[in-house]
């Protein structure tokens, strides 16, 4: 496959969660590959920061301050993007509580953002692609939490497992339209979402992840962004319904 397979020049991409972390890194990389990138997030200030990074490298970005749980706002933003070639549904939150501590409010909030937000993004992207006859790519964000029981991450793990099943269902339904749908399930990545502990505990957590990884390090947002680019591009033109796991080898499921 030639390197030109990664060229997204002339294509339109939509990235949710683009104000920081993996979403920002993905938006910047897709723009570097030539796409016009539509950046969505409820953090308007963060979106302006992402657009500044894209502008600085000569790319093109549009920003859409919105909440991914607002189906109507997301639909309007996607429609404004014109014919869509790539959807990267990355927006998400992490919540920590044991099974016995978890409340309805905890579960509803995490599920709304981590699952419904991905569902809505996938629906709107599919409508755009089908309407405009685009054989596009939808990339969802799962997690390494789908491969093992993670104490304290009930809401997060359940929502991400639902994203995996959503991805497979979308792939099966949209394949006849030429639309590919795949999930990325990262391991531990150094992002604002994971850097929420006090310094000593943070160091212990990351040291534990480093020991588990054959590569001897934790992930960076750019590591995951490159996986998204692969799935978004023609380089993965025969890949759909799959879960790619950029996790440093921490988990190696069949």
């Amino acid at each position: 496959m030639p390197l030109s397979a990664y060229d997204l020049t002339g294509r339109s991409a939509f990235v949710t969660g683009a104000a920081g972390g993996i979403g920002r890194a993905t938006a910047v990389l897709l723009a570097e590959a030539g796409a016009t990138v539509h950046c969505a997030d409820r953090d308007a200030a963060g979106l302006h920061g992402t657009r500044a990074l894209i502008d600085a490298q000569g790319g093109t970005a549009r920003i859409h301050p919105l909440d991914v749980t607002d189906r109507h706002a997301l639909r309007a933003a996607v429609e404004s993007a014109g014919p869509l070639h790539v959807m990267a549904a990355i927006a998400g939150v992490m919540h920590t509580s044991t099974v016995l501590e978890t409340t309805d409010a905890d579960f509803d909030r995490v599920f709304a953002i981590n699952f419904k937000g991905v569902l809505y993004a996938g629906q709107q992207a599919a409508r755009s692609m089908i309407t405009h006859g685009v054989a596009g790519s939808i990339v969802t964000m799962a997690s390494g939490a789908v491969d093992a029981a993670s104490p304290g991450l009930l809401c997060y793990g359940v929502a991400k497992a639902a994203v995996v099943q959503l991805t497979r269902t979308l792939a099966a339904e949209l394949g006849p339209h030429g639309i590919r749908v795949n999930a990325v399930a990262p391991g531990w990545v150094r992002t604002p979402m994971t850097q929420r502990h006090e310094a000593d505990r943070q160091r212990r957590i990351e040291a534990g992840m480093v020991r588990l990884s054959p590569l001897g390090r934790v992930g960076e947002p750019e590591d995951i962004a490159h996986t998204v680019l692969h799935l978004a591009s023609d380089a993965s033109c025969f890949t759909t319904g799959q879960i790619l796991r950029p996790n440093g080898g921490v988990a190696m499921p069949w």
Side-chain angles (χ1 to χ4, degrees), residues 212-227:
L212 290 172
S213 170
L215 296 182
R217 69 176 179 89
V218 298
E220 299 293 344
E222 292 74 17
D223 295 322
I224 314 308
H226 278 89
T227 304

Side-chain angles (χ1 to χ4, degrees), residues 105-233:
D106 295 334
F107 188 84
D108 290 347
R109 174 176 174 268
V110 174
F111 203 79
I113 297 171
N114 289 9
F115 176 75
K116 285 186 177 180
V118 177
L119 169 63
Y120 298 160
Q123 287 175 324
Q124 303 313 327
R127 289 189 176 107
S128 172
M129 292 171 184
I130 292 170
T131 297
H132 295 286
V134 173
S137 173
I138 298 172
V139 184
T140 66
M141 193 57 55
S143 166
V146 306
D147 292 319
S150 300
L153 292 180
L154 170 68
C155 302
Y156 184 79
V158 168
K160 292 299 187 178
V163 167
V164 169
Q165 188 60 23
L166 170 65
T167 301
R168 291 169 173 158
T169 303
L170 286 173
E173 292 187 0
L174 299 178
H177 297 281
I179 300 169
R180 298 178 296 106
V181 189
N182 294 283
V184 178
W188 187 268
V189 179
R190 193 176 282 122
T191 68
M193 187 170 73
T194 61
Q195 305 295 295
R196 67 193 191 283
H197 305 291
E198 53 87 18
D200 286 344
R201 186 182 178 196
Q202 193 70 42
R203 282 193 291 271
R204 290 196 300 272
I205 291 172
E206 292 198 1
M209 294 298 174
V210 168
R211 286 193 296 272
L212 290 172
S213 170
L215 296 182
R217 69 176 179 89
V218 298
E220 299 293 344
E222 292 74 17
D223 295 322
I224 314 308
H226 278 89
T227 304
V228 177
L229 172 61
H230 174 71
L231 292 174
S233 73

